[in-house]
Amino acid sequence: MASEPFSPTDRPEFLQPKQHADFEKAARWYGVQVASSCEKNVKATLEQRAITLGVENRILEIAIPQTPAIKVKKDGNRQVIEEKVFPGYVLVRMVLDDETQSAVRTTPNVINFVGAEERRAAGRGRGHVKPVPLTQKEVNRIFRRTQERKPTVKVDLTEGDQIRVVDGPFKDFEGEVIEVSGERNRLKALLSIFGRDTPVELEFSQVAKQE
């Protein structure tokens, strides 16, 4: 997380090398649930709030794990996109204390930490959620996924959609999708060939969705 350094007269305690090393060693990754589609806004806002509140030495990194994907549009054109590994969540590497917890919890569009719910002593309301850090194994698995650069293919087609073939030997035939296989970049469709519904396997790039 980039930030302008403080001058020695501002917050001299933040510039102690040993203290900085201690925070780096103590920091852990935490999952934070956020409002739908607000991951980037939360990241940017929390980065700025950490500086404003003077806790950027303890909120060290905010990540939105993403992997590359290829989105096949209705007209068959392809667009390279970044797909979130965990939609609705951001990861925060931080030293957990009252100040950093408050900074995260009070950030707009943050719902709560991922953690263990502490039951209320009385009443039916939900209890307080105690943040629980991710294990090193979980962290390794998450970020290993972001390094897998082979894109997955996402297509705006589902079973029952009407399609038209735009390329290949069945060009201009029309039919209905009966199976979609994103892993193989292919789908099966029933095409009317010689008056009979015939299942045909096609690549995503060979079809366009009919409105």
Side-chain angles (χ1 to χ4, degrees):
M1 177 178 57
S3 62
E4 291 296 324
F6 289 96
S7 69
T9 57
D10 289 331
R11 304 184 70 87
E13 70 276 17
F14 285 3
L15 302 180
Q16 297 297 324
K18 182 179 184 303
Q19 187 181 46
H20 178 73
D22 289 343
F23 286 148
E24 281 282 349
K25 186 177 180 180
R28 303 285 298 277
W29 283 102
Y30 293 85
V32 178
Q33 185 180 9
V34 304
S36 178
S37 302
C38 291
E39 297 90 351
K40 290 184 178 180
N41 286 339
V42 167
K43 181 178 185 295
T45 302
L46 181 53
E47 286 174 344
Q48 185 57 53
R49 279 171 54 79
I51 298 172
T52 302
L53 297 173
V55 294
E56 83 279 12
N57 63 329
R58 285 163 284 162
I59 296 180
L60 304 177
E61 191 173 355
I62 305 163
I64 305 172
Q66 298 182 114
T67 57
I70 297 175
K71 182 178 180 181
V72 181
K73 299 181 179 181
K74 295 178 181 180
D75 59 5
N77 289 328
R78 296 188 171 206
Q79 177 186 7
V80 178
I81 61 173
E82 291 289 331
E83 185 179 50
K84 299 178 184 69
V85 175
F86 298 111
Y89 293 87
V90 299
L91 301 182
V92 183
R93 188 167 69 93
M94 58 188 283
V95 178
L96 191 70
D97 59 29
D98 289 344
E99 288 184 323
T100 56
Q101 278 197 68
S102 178
V104 173
R105 290 185 191 276
T106 57
T107 297
N109 296 310
V110 165
I111 297 174
N112 215 331
F113 280 93
V114 175
E117 184 176 339
E118 299 176 332
R119 296 295 181 184
R120 294 168 61 96
R124 297 183 178 181
R126 295 191 63 182
H128 176 75
V129 174
K130 179 182 179 180
V132 175
L134 301 176
T135 66
Q136 191 58 51
K137 183 177 180 181
E138 289 173 323
V139 172
N140 292 343
R141 183 174 66 248
I142 291 170
F143 286 103
R144 187 163 53 244
R145 286 186 60 182
T146 67
Q147 295 167 2
E148 295 173 354
R149 303 311 297 174
K150 183 178 180 181
T152 58
V153 176
K154 303 295 176 181
V155 63
D156 186 23
L157 289 170
T158 58
E159 293 180 19
D161 284 344
Q162 300 299 310
I163 55 99
R164 179 174 59 85
V165 182
V166 296
D167 189 30
F170 298 102
K171 184 177 180 179
D172 295 330
F173 278 76
E174 296 180 353
E176 178 181 322
V177 177
I178 58 174
E179 183 181 326
V180 178
S181 178
E183 297 79 10
R184 300 175 55 237
N185 299 344
R186 291 176 173 270
L187 59 81
K188 283 185 179 180
L190 287 178
L191 304 183
S192 179
I193 302 175
F194 302 124
R196 298 179 60 182
D197 284 340
T198 305
V200 176
E201 190 172 80
L202 301 161
E203 294 184 2
F204 290 157
S205 60
Q206 291 180 300
V207 304
K209 186 176 181 180
Q210 300 271 66
E211 294 297 337

